[in-house]
Amino acid sequence: MSESRTSRVLIVGGGITGGVLSLALAQRGVDVVLVDVRDTLRGVGHGITLQGNALKAFHSVGIYDRLAQRAYPFNKLRLRGADGSLIAEIPTPPMGGPELPGTMGAVRGDIADILAEEVVAAGVDVRLGTTVAAIEDDGDSVTVTLSDGTAETVDLLVGADGIRSKVRGMIGIETEPKPVGMGIWRTVAKRPAQMDCSEMYYGGPKFKAGYTPISEDLCYAFLLEENLDRSYVGEGQRGKELKERGQGYGGTWGEVRDSLADDAVVNYQWIEAICVEEPWYRGRTIIIGDAAHACPPLIAQGAAMCAEDAVILAEMLTDGRGVDEVLPAYWGRRFPRVKMVLDNSLKLAEWEIHPGVDPDENPGRLMGETLGALVVPA
């Protein structure tokens, strides 16, 4: 049905969700305009843990090989006590299929840099320093007025603009992100030779400590504790502070902590979550990724859910159905999967904040069950 073909899409937000969606649509012959309020799509920042289903999505848009050249693959997760003693080793199930690693650690900025280059190479019309100012939906199309005064008429507007999405509010969805009750300190450090997978340390003075190898030379280390005063939020040369707050952990985590320079760049953020439980679309506008569902990073599925969202939406928009048919079908397909990940991530957070209260508390089992469920293709 040529009359129902999606030919032009405007995407707000050029992070992982918007970048992967732009690339996937452009590769399928759709005319894409990508707007981002920032002045660059290139990234800075700490590490990221990517499960196999995220790698599958990256592979489908052709960026996996470039990322794999810089990243660190592995196929297991270890849980340890605060002193470094082994509690459990959990194999990572093949969520991306047998040909891809179960997990990969990467530098978050590398993903942004690769996507920034690839979307331009694919012919996406990228407009930086720009966001959406007004939306007018006439039923068969949507006209988007941008902050630079220009207007675009498209078949679909996609809000991929993150947990603080502007598009979400503009289409009348009132759900807002809420603090989970945890804050996270994050830094990049030298990778000790014995570090060969993600490991998490439980039972110490804070909620949890851990790390992921992200290259041959580097690792991403983190410490989770209570929400500190808002004045702590941000990034700076705070290595000394992290070393002080991270006392009480041994093993390799203690080694990484002690290796930090006093002026190492460290980021502290409150962890927030959001789950839009009503349909994510209004007319010909839809929100996806963290704009619709952002989960605590306790199962390392945030980026994976975003990348899956993007690839599946691109596939469904180009399978011959009209936008009006695709959007409810897409929401029905995606919501149960992201809700399961979000609910289980929040349960893990609750167990870490209030240990010993729930008689069913078993983080290893819940993580294993969640990852096992995600082996089923999205």
Side-chain angles (χ1 to χ4, degrees):
M1 297 189 299
S2 59
E3 69 276 11
S4 67
R5 182 179 182 275
T6 303
S7 59
R8 187 165 172 81
V9 173
L10 192 146
I11 300 167
V12 183
I16 288 176
T17 310
V20 172
L21 178 60
S22 296
L23 201 48
L25 287 172
Q27 289 167 347
R28 290 168 170 81
V30 176
D31 187 9
V32 179
V33 178
L34 174 63
V35 303
D36 195 290
V37 71
R38 298 169 296 168
D39 60 7
T40 180
L41 296 182
R42 291 186 171 274
V44 294
H46 45 79
I48 187 170
T49 306
L50 301 165
Q51 305 284 10
N53 53 331
L55 303 178
K56 179 181 179 181
F58 291 162
H59 189 272
S60 75
V61 294
I63 66 168
Y64 170 78
D65 289 343
R66 287 189 63 186
L67 184 62
Q69 290 172 4
R70 314 181 196 184
Y72 192 97
F74 50 94
N75 289 291
K76 55 185 175 287
L77 164 70
R78 293 194 191 96
L79 310 184
R80 295 190 179 274
D83 61 358
S85 58
L86 183 65
I87 297 172
E89 182 172 297
I90 305 170
T92 310
M95 291 172 282
E99 70 281 358
L100 293 172
T103 315
M104 182 174 280
V107 176
R108 187 179 288 267
D110 285 348
I111 304 172
D113 289 351
I114 292 167
L115 279 170
E117 294 170 10
E118 294 293 335
V119 296
V120 172
V124 174
D125 179 359
V126 178
R127 305 185 194 176
L128 301 175
T130 309
T131 189
V132 57
I135 302 168
E136 184 177 343
D137 192 319
D138 71 3
D140 295 324
S141 63
V142 56
T143 298
V144 185
T145 302
L146 301 175
S147 56
D148 63 3
T150 62
E152 295 289 340
T153 298
V154 295
D155 299 307
L156 179 68
L157 168 64
V158 181
D161 50 344
I163 193 169
R164 307 212 178 283
S165 171
K166 182 178 182 181
V167 175
R168 183 177 63 230
M170 291 179 75
I171 61 172
I173 296 175
E174 297 179 356
T175 311
E176 291 289 339
K178 295 179 180 178
V180 171
M182 314 176 94
I184 184 168
W185 296 88
R186 296 182 278 206
T187 193
V188 172
K190 292 181 180 178
R191 181 181 75 87
Q194 71 271 20
M195 185 191 296
D196 62 351
C197 69
S198 288
E199 300 191 339
M200 290 182 278
Y201 289 61
Y202 292 88
K206 306 298 185 185
F207 293 149
K208 181 172 65 178
Y211 45 68
T212 290
I214 57 176
S215 74
E216 287 298 324
D217 306 315
L218 299 174
C219 70
Y220 155 49
F222 54 87
L223 179 71
L224 279 82
E225 61 172 323
E226 67 274 8
N227 278 352
L228 303 175
D229 185 82
R230 278 281 189 191
S231 63
Y232 282 88
V233 172
E235 186 168 278
Q237 296 178 327
R238 305 161 79 180
K240 184 174 187 291
E241 190 172 3
L242 178 55
K243 285 193 286 186
E244 291 169 353
R245 303 194 77 87
Q247 293 299 314
Y249 293 92
T252 301
W253 204 91
E255 181 182 332
V256 171
R257 175 199 62 221
D258 293 344
S259 76
L260 293 174
D262 285 353
D263 63 352
V265 175
V266 177
N267 182 286
Y268 174 80
Q269 295 292 332
W270 285 11
I271 293 174
E272 296 179 299
I274 188 170
C275 184
V276 176
E277 304 212 11
E278 58 191 294
W280 301 341
Y281 57 92
R282 298 289 185 274
R284 286 183 170 244
T285 300
I286 188 170
I287 54 170
I288 67 170
D290 283 350
H293 52 82
C295 62
L298 303 183
I299 312 178
Q301 273 292 310
M305 290 296 101
C306 289
E308 279 188 1
D309 271 7
V311 169
I312 291 166
L313 182 58
E315 290 173 353
M316 293 180 72
L317 286 171
T318 55
D319 69 4
R321 288 179 288 177
V323 171
D324 296 334
E325 184 181 351
V326 166
L327 298 188
Y330 172 79
W331 184 74
R333 178 173 168 182
R334 291 300 296 155
F335 183 72
R337 187 171 172 102
V338 301
K339 183 74 162 61
M340 181 269 294
V341 169
L342 188 70
D343 286 349
N344 290 355
S345 298
L346 289 170
K347 182 174 285 188
L348 285 170
E350 186 63 23
W351 286 347
E352 291 180 16
I353 295 168
H354 303 291
V357 174
D358 186 345
D360 294 328
E361 181 180 330
N362 188 330
R365 175 184 55 77
L366 185 59
M367 280 189 273
E369 288 176 355
T370 306
L371 298 180
L374 295 171
V375 172
V376 177

